[in-house]
Amino acid sequence: MTTVFRNFIAGEFVSPAKAAPNLNPSNTTEVVGEYAQGTVEDLNAAVAAAKEAFPAWSRSNPQLRYDVLMKASNEVMARKEELGALLSREEGKTLPEGIGEVARAGQILSFFAAEALRLNGELVNSIRPGVGIEITREAVGVIGMITPWNFPIAIPCWKIAPALAYGNTVVIKPADLVPGSTWALVDILNRAGLPKGVLNLVMGRGSVVGQAMLEHPDVHAISFTGSVSTGRRIAAACVAANPMKKVQLEMGGKNPLVVLDDADLAVAVECAANGAFFSTGQRCTASSRLIVTDGIHDKFVDALTERLKGLVVDDALKSGTHIGPVVDQSQLDQDEKYIAIGRDEGAKLHWGGERLNRDNPGFFLQPALFTGVANTMRIAREEIFGPVAAVIRAKGYDEALAIANDTEFGLSAGICTTSLKYSSHFKRNAEAGMVMVNLPTAGVDYHVPFGGRKGSSYGPREQGAYAREFYTTVKTAYTLA
């Protein structure tokens, strides 16, 4: 009998009115579990619990918050193989990637455990005699979180951990496709000693649970990671709400990797293969535009093609698999639609792009590499979110930089070069929140800010000490001595 995983509200696991299956994209005959489908009533109960818990938690001893987060970190790290397998089963990442993501979640928890002890303020002299000024940071309140399917434990963790560290209470709705990893994380945090109501989990449809979260007057802030269209709607709703909600958005990317004539070819190929195709290309930081200058273009395409031919696409849990399946049928359909669009626009499907059959039924797609792409084509402008990359030829560095910046997105940008002059100029002039030199555009550290500009991000950065900008509010207090 399949286990039903329940929502977690006010410190209790609540039996759902209905549940939905969580399928393994590597083997669609396997049901990972049945997960609750929350209702508006569930969401309202979770917000009420978070509101009730907020006064005590926001004023709690920082040592308590440290202890809870560190205990959770230790359990996550101790169970990383088990949790990594769960992640890979529900999302389709290869097992090493799944285990790596779980380890990162553990690191995030330990970082923010220490942040609970590091939060400080300022004592400032006033321009008026006898007046003292204190600048402090306080928790915002009840934080609503809506997380995506492509990083099922890392992204929930990098939202929940700072929220709790800085004294907020939380209601989280994970992506409907991958609720299992978030459920496991919430269970671990609960058993680590969180008071009732501090952390609440309501799984279910975004149109039901997410919408109710947006409309609830006792949700003080929304942190969202997902599509641009949904992010824009959330931002508008938060501004229109009464009272207005603080909002943080991480959305799409159409990230460029520039390869110059002087690049180390092996380094450039590895950056492109990793950034564009690993994790099945299902990363907002993926290198979907490979901008290559004339002198190295043909050698780069040939070498990257050979690299792709050696990549194994198969069951995420199988040893030797480099690329797992696409997450579900809808995403597979979208990938294939864009492959057809690229061909229709006149780009050349240089290699791959075919559906693959494996031992189990699943959503397997051969990585697709397009050449002869113009930056005006849809495959160069719209986020595909799959193992599809477009090679765009450039005459030299100046044109390559111009093409890299010619996008509505601005999350991550990379360059492969041995030139200090060009790498320094690119770091300064690439219109992106994160810049990589001789590294894949995907792959960031947990202790530094994550985020972009233009259509990729809105609001304060996530991760690292910069997370306090969203999860705290500043208070200035004056005292006449």
Side-chain angles (χ1 to χ4, degrees):
M1 184 175 180
T2 305
T3 302
V4 175
F5 294 87
R6 298 171 290 172
N7 287 320
F8 185 72
I9 300 171
E12 304 289 340
F13 286 102
V14 181
S15 295
K18 61 179 181 177
N22 181 5
L23 298 181
N24 180 348
S26 291
N27 181 1
T28 55
T29 64
E30 181 195 358
V31 177
V32 177
E34 297 277 344
Y35 287 81
Q37 291 286 287
T39 63
V40 173
E41 291 73 25
D42 293 328
L43 186 280
N44 290 341
V47 174
K51 180 182 179 182
E52 183 177 351
F54 176 73
W57 181 250
S58 63
R59 291 167 176 79
S60 62
N61 189 320
Q63 185 67 46
L64 170 61
R65 288 178 248 157
Y66 171 89
D67 290 344
V68 168
L69 291 170
M70 274 308 301
K71 187 175 180 181
S73 173
N74 291 337
E75 181 171 344
V76 167
M77 296 301 279
R79 296 172 57 193
K80 63 183 180 181
E81 285 81 11
E82 169 203 344
L83 295 171
L86 168 64
L87 191 158
S88 295
R89 285 170 63 213
E90 71 171 353
E91 195 271 346
K93 255 178 205 147
T94 65
L95 184 56
E97 289 175 321
I99 294 171
E101 183 179 332
V102 172
R104 176 170 174 180
Q107 292 167 331
I108 291 166
L109 286 164
S110 64
F111 177 88
F112 283 107
E115 277 294 280
L117 302 176
R118 284 193 287 255
L119 189 62
N120 51 30
E122 299 174 67
L123 191 63
V124 180
N125 292 322
S126 172
I127 60 173
R128 292 172 287 177
V131 175
I133 303 173
E134 297 169 85
I135 303 170
T136 56
R137 288 185 177 271
E138 297 181 354
V140 172
V142 177
I143 312 292
M145 300 175 179
I146 302 171
T147 57
W149 51 259
N150 61 326
F151 284 89
I153 196 167
I155 291 179
C157 200
W158 83 47
K159 294 180 188 294
I160 291 172
L164 298 181
Y166 299 131
N168 300 280
T169 55
V170 172
V171 179
I172 184 167
K173 190 211 88 65
D176 208 24
L177 278 175
V178 291
S181 296
T182 303
W183 190 97
L185 176 63
V186 169
D187 177 57
I188 289 169
L189 282 161
N190 170 53
R191 289 185 289 98
L194 282 178
K196 291 184 178 182
V198 171
L199 176 60
N200 304 272
L201 167 68
V202 184
M203 300 172 285
R205 302 297 299 170
S207 58
V208 177
V209 178
Q211 187 62 36
M213 188 184 290
L214 284 179
E215 295 172 356
H216 204 296
D218 291 330
V219 174
H220 302 101
I222 296 286
S223 181
F224 167 81
T225 301
S227 70
V228 175
S229 58
T230 303
R232 289 181 183 277
R233 188 172 61 81
I234 287 172
C238 288
V239 171
N242 187 17
M244 286 191 291
K245 302 182 193 301
K246 200 171 184 180
V247 62
Q248 176 186 63
L249 306 175
E250 288 298 337
M251 299 172 287
K254 198 66 183 173
N255 309 292
L257 176 68
V258 171
V259 179
L260 298 185
D261 288 353
D262 67 353
D264 181 308
L265 183 60
V267 169
V269 167
E270 199 55 37
C271 287
N274 183 304
F277 302 110
F278 283 25
S279 295
T280 324
Q282 295 173 155
R283 299 183 282 193
C284 55
T285 52
S287 311
S288 50
R289 293 186 299 147
L290 308 175
I291 303 167
V292 187
T293 51
D294 279 332
I296 199 173
H297 178 278
D298 293 350
K299 289 183 290 185
F300 171 82
V301 169
D302 289 344
L304 180 57
T305 303
E306 289 304 307
R307 180 74 173 94
L308 293 180
K309 289 178 181 178
L311 295 179
V312 176
V313 181
D314 208 332
D315 188 314
L317 297 182
K318 186 179 289 187
S319 177
T321 296
H322 299 113
I323 298 174
V326 172
V327 71
D328 72 347
Q329 184 64 53
S330 175
Q331 187 61 46
L332 180 59
D333 291 343
Q334 177 168 302
D335 294 344
E336 292 187 317
K337 180 191 79 172
Y338 273 104
I339 290 170
I341 287 171
R343 283 171 151 169
D344 291 343
E345 287 182 311
K348 178 185 176 183
L349 182 57
H350 181 80
W351 194 83
E354 301 296 326
R355 282 287 304 271
L356 299 173
N357 294 317
R358 293 296 181 254
D359 293 341
N360 298 320
F363 307 114
F364 300 105
L365 180 66
Q366 195 177 41
L369 182 67
F370 278 95
T371 56
V373 179
N375 201 48
T376 53
M377 294 179 180
R378 288 181 63 187
I379 59 168
R381 304 209 70 82
E382 299 173 13
E383 187 175 39
I384 301 171
F385 221 67
V388 182
V391 179
I392 303 170
R393 188 189 288 266
K395 292 184 177 66
Y397 171 74
D398 290 339
E399 184 179 30
L401 176 64
I403 293 170
N405 289 337
D406 181 16
T407 174
E408 67 177 278
F409 299 103
L411 184 55
S412 184
I415 187 169
C416 292
T417 179
T418 55
S419 165
L420 179 61
K421 170 187 173 182
Y422 288 133
S423 63
S424 298
H425 189 272
F426 189 82
K427 285 189 287 185
R428 181 67 182 269
N429 291 280
E431 295 172 0
M434 298 176 290
V435 180
M436 313 292 183
V437 178
N438 295 321
L439 289 165
T441 58
V444 295
D445 291 351
Y446 62 87
H447 65 301
V448 294
F450 177 95
R453 54 202 285 188
K454 297 194 275 191
S456 291
S457 301
Y458 182 82
R461 290 286 191 262
E462 296 198 280
Q463 299 203 88
Y466 280 77
R468 67 176 178 261
E469 301 301 328
F470 180 72
Y471 291 105
T472 65
T473 184
V474 175
K475 177 179 283 184
T476 307
Y478 295 84
T479 303
L480 178 63

